[in-house]
Amino acid sequence: MTKKSGRILAIDDNADILFALKLLLKPHVESITTSTDPNKIPALMAEESFDVVLLDMNFTKDAISGQEGFQWLEKILEIDPLAVVLFITAYGDVEKSVKAIRAGATDFILKPWQNEKLLATVNSAIKLRLSRNEVKQLKSKQKELNTILDQPFADFIGVSPGMQNVFNTIKKVAGTDANVLILGENGTGKELVARALHRNSLRTNESFISVDLGALSESLFESELFGHVKGAFTDAKSERPGRFELASGGTIFLDEIGNLSLPLQAKLLTVLERREVTRVGANKSKPIDIRLICATNMNLKQMAMEDSYRQDLIYRINTVEIELPPLRERPEDIPVLADHFLKIFSKKYKKKVNRLSSKVIKKLTNYPWPGNVREFQHILERTVIMSESPNFEESDFQLSSLPSSSEGFEFDTYNLEDIEKQIIEKVLRMNRGNVSKAAADLGLTRTSLYRRLEKHGL
């Protein structure tokens, strides 16, 4: 059985009309309230929220012009701006219907009506009202989210001198359109910096598009970033805009920009210089207006010296550099971050959690946090989930043990070549053969690591 939906208010000075409406609509809607007196509209709307108002256009004051109906329409919309109003009149014509819709009515019904048509019109009006309510709720949620996000730097917090320097730089740069390069280890919060720059910029009401370049294959690079036309390649079954087009007017954030090969660097540089993109398979370019923010955990300047990164691209993307300190270099932030995440997770998992003791804080501070804030957040969430007491002990925090001499870093030779080979082998095993991650851990570029792999026959 289909559930009835829709609360209807019908206002007409003809009681027979109201009786006919009630008889027709009652089997199909949740409720229908009727009145012959339009002066009761404010009181009725104060008592109940109606999805659709059926309003007579002509009352006793003015029989044919519909002026009184327009006046009540204005009053209804004043009470409820989302109201869906359907005018009903025996004197309808095109001119009045156009005027009614311009005044805020949703549709226009002529008397006598066709039952099927009236039911269809009322059903569509109910759906429209539901859509308006959903949009209102979404806007309200978005407003709340924006309020949270617009707190100085949301989850991006810290009291250490290094972080205060980052915050000050963001404040100075955000209001400009300067290209920004964010540097830092994995997990330090590079995307949070990018979002903070966008939220505090003149483009804050426009789109923020984030692209993980490290996850894009060479074959997908152009299609994803610049778009494609239908038939450009086998799977191009429809036209599709790229990320640059979607970000036009707003901000595009290119994460892991150090992972681009030289050919892709050249293609990206061309787009940034010309400020236009050409979809794959298209002949005509499209202008773009974007704020560019990039991030990497790699040493681009060192890569440029090794001819694995274009110097001119570096100049293009780093008008301003923001370097995020690793968590191990900002121990003052451990207690602040702990309080912040514990509040979030205690609420999320509905658990009472007390502040951490000085012993626990000391343990967390002494740990080097190779995964930085991301690892810190993960550890605290796991601890809250597994906790059986609101008071955490040192043993509640399962911190990963670091490589020690017993795990393969004790050397039986002082030959630097042999030591280098052993370290590279160890780090590759730790990263399960992932060259990019191993290079990052070793402080090398991928190109440099490949050279050493070749040198050592690995």
Side-chain angles (χ1 to χ4, degrees):
M1 182 177 177
T2 305
K3 184 180 178 182
K4 296 179 182 180
S5 65
R7 297 178 300 278
I8 311 298
L9 173 62
I11 307 293
D12 195 298
D13 58 2
N14 188 326
D16 292 335
I17 293 291
L18 294 177
F19 179 77
L21 283 170
K22 199 163 192 174
L23 195 66
L24 176 63
L25 295 175
K26 193 171 182 180
H28 302 282
V29 300
E30 187 180 333
S31 67
I32 176 167
T33 303
T34 62
S35 177
T36 57
D37 183 4
N39 292 298
K40 291 183 178 180
I41 290 176
L44 290 169
M45 292 185 70
E47 292 175 5
E48 187 176 352
S49 175
F50 295 100
D51 296 308
V52 179
V53 179
L54 297 173
L55 179 65
D56 188 14
M57 184 172 279
N58 301 297
F59 294 94
T60 55
K61 182 178 178 181
D62 186 346
I64 60 172
S65 73
Q67 188 58 41
E68 194 173 6
F70 283 115
Q71 290 173 357
W72 280 112
L73 171 64
E74 185 179 349
K75 183 67 177 176
I76 290 168
L77 294 177
E78 182 183 318
I79 296 170
D80 181 4
L82 300 180
V84 177
V85 181
L86 302 177
F87 265 137
I88 47 177
T89 180
Y91 303 95
D93 56 27
V94 174
E95 185 179 346
K96 284 196 184 72
S97 66
V98 172
K99 184 179 178 184
I101 292 171
R102 284 178 177 171
T106 299
D107 211 338
F108 195 91
I109 299 173
L110 296 179
K111 294 183 284 189
W113 58 74
Q114 296 177 3
N115 287 351
E116 293 80 3
K117 186 176 180 180
L118 187 141
L119 285 171
T121 303
V122 170
N123 186 49
S124 296
I126 291 170
K127 290 180 179 178
L128 176 61
R129 171 67 176 200
L130 291 174
S131 296
R132 288 182 178 179
N133 286 341
E134 287 175 1
V135 170
K136 183 182 179 182
Q137 290 174 1
L138 287 171
K139 286 183 176 179
S140 177
K141 287 181 180 179
Q142 187 62 49
K143 187 175 181 181
E144 290 178 16
L145 285 172
N146 287 341
T147 299
I148 295 170
L149 290 172
D150 286 338
Q151 293 173 4
F153 297 102
D155 282 346
F156 188 46
I157 57 178
V159 296
S160 62
M163 291 305 295
Q164 291 304 310
N165 184 50
V166 170
F167 297 150
N168 290 333
T169 305
I170 291 174
K171 289 175 182 176
K172 292 176 182 177
V173 177
T176 73
D177 259 355
N179 295 338
V180 178
L181 176 61
I182 306 166
L183 305 171
E185 297 178 6
N186 288 332
T188 49
K190 294 188 287 295
E191 184 165 348
L192 290 177
V193 175
R195 291 185 180 276
L197 286 166
H198 175 71
R199 283 198 306 274
N200 292 280
S201 73
L202 299 176
R203 298 172 182 259
T204 183
N205 294 321
E206 302 298 332
S207 56
F208 176 91
I209 303 295
S210 178
V211 186
D212 182 0
L213 296 179
L216 284 183
S217 64
E218 299 245 350
S219 59
L220 289 176
F221 178 83
E222 286 188 86
S223 174
E224 287 293 320
L225 263 62
F226 311 143
H228 61 254
V229 298
K230 184 178 180 180
F233 47 87
T234 305
D235 294 327
K237 297 178 181 178
S238 61
E239 192 165 335
R240 180 185 176 190
R243 306 294 180 87
F244 273 92
E245 280 187 64
L246 294 173
S248 192
T251 302
I252 188 166
F253 172 53
L254 303 181
D255 198 7
E256 303 292 351
I257 197 165
N259 288 344
L260 292 182
S261 65
L262 285 169
L264 297 186
Q265 292 172 34
K267 291 175 181 179
L268 177 60
L269 181 62
T270 299
V271 168
L272 297 179
E273 287 178 339
R274 296 180 180 176
R275 311 296 285 186
E276 61 184 24
V277 295
T278 303
R279 293 184 180 181
V280 178
N283 297 319
K284 190 176 180 180
S285 60
K286 294 176 178 287
I288 53 168
D289 170 27
I290 52 102
R291 167 66 173 297
L292 178 67
I293 302 176
C294 300
T296 183
N297 61 356
M298 304 173 80
N299 189 333
L300 299 186
K301 293 176 182 177
Q302 179 66 32
M303 292 172 68
M305 293 174 63
E306 297 171 353
D307 296 326
S308 61
Y309 213 87
R310 295 181 64 113
Q311 188 76 53
D312 48 0
L313 179 57
I314 296 177
Y315 291 145
R316 178 66 62 176
I317 65 177
N318 76 333
T319 305
V320 176
E321 283 187 7
I322 297 178
E323 186 162 4
L324 283 170
L327 187 56
R328 62 182 174 275
E329 293 180 7
R330 35 187 279 229
E332 309 97 316
D333 293 334
I334 296 291
V336 180
L337 288 167
D339 286 345
H340 175 73
F341 288 126
L342 287 177
K343 285 177 184 177
I344 292 175
F345 297 134
S346 63
K347 184 177 180 180
K348 180 178 179 179
Y349 299 110
K350 297 180 175 58
K351 288 191 173 185
K352 178 178 172 55
V353 176
N354 293 330
R355 296 190 70 176
L356 301 181
S357 67
S358 57
K359 287 185 178 180
V360 172
I361 291 293
K362 184 177 180 180
K363 176 178 180 177
L364 297 179
T365 303
N366 289 335
Y367 181 68
W369 299 106
N372 292 293
V373 179
R374 187 183 294 127
E375 182 187 6
F376 185 85
Q377 181 178 350
H378 169 74
I379 291 292
L380 263 66
E381 183 172 14
R382 184 178 65 189
T383 305
V384 170
I385 292 172
M386 302 302 293
S387 68
E388 296 178 356
S389 167
N391 298 309
F392 293 157
E393 302 294 335
E394 293 175 77
S395 58
D396 291 321
F397 293 87
Q398 300 177 18
L399 304 180
S400 301
S401 57
L402 295 176
S404 63
S405 59
S406 62
E407 292 176 298
F409 277 96
E410 183 175 335
F411 307 109
D412 54 9
T413 176
Y414 291 102
N415 184 288
L416 292 178
E417 292 290 319
D418 293 339
I419 290 174
E420 182 181 70
K421 181 179 179 181
Q422 290 180 46
I423 290 175
I424 290 173
E425 288 177 325
K426 175 69 177 179
V427 174
L428 278 171
R429 284 197 299 271
M430 288 168 56
N431 288 285
R432 298 179 181 179
N434 188 311
V435 174
S436 294
K437 289 183 178 179
D441 287 347
L442 292 165
L444 300 172
T445 65
R446 286 186 304 171
T447 304
S448 297
L449 180 54
Y450 277 125
R451 288 174 183 166
R452 284 169 171 79
L453 292 173
E454 184 178 356
K455 180 177 73 172
H456 295 295
L458 298 173

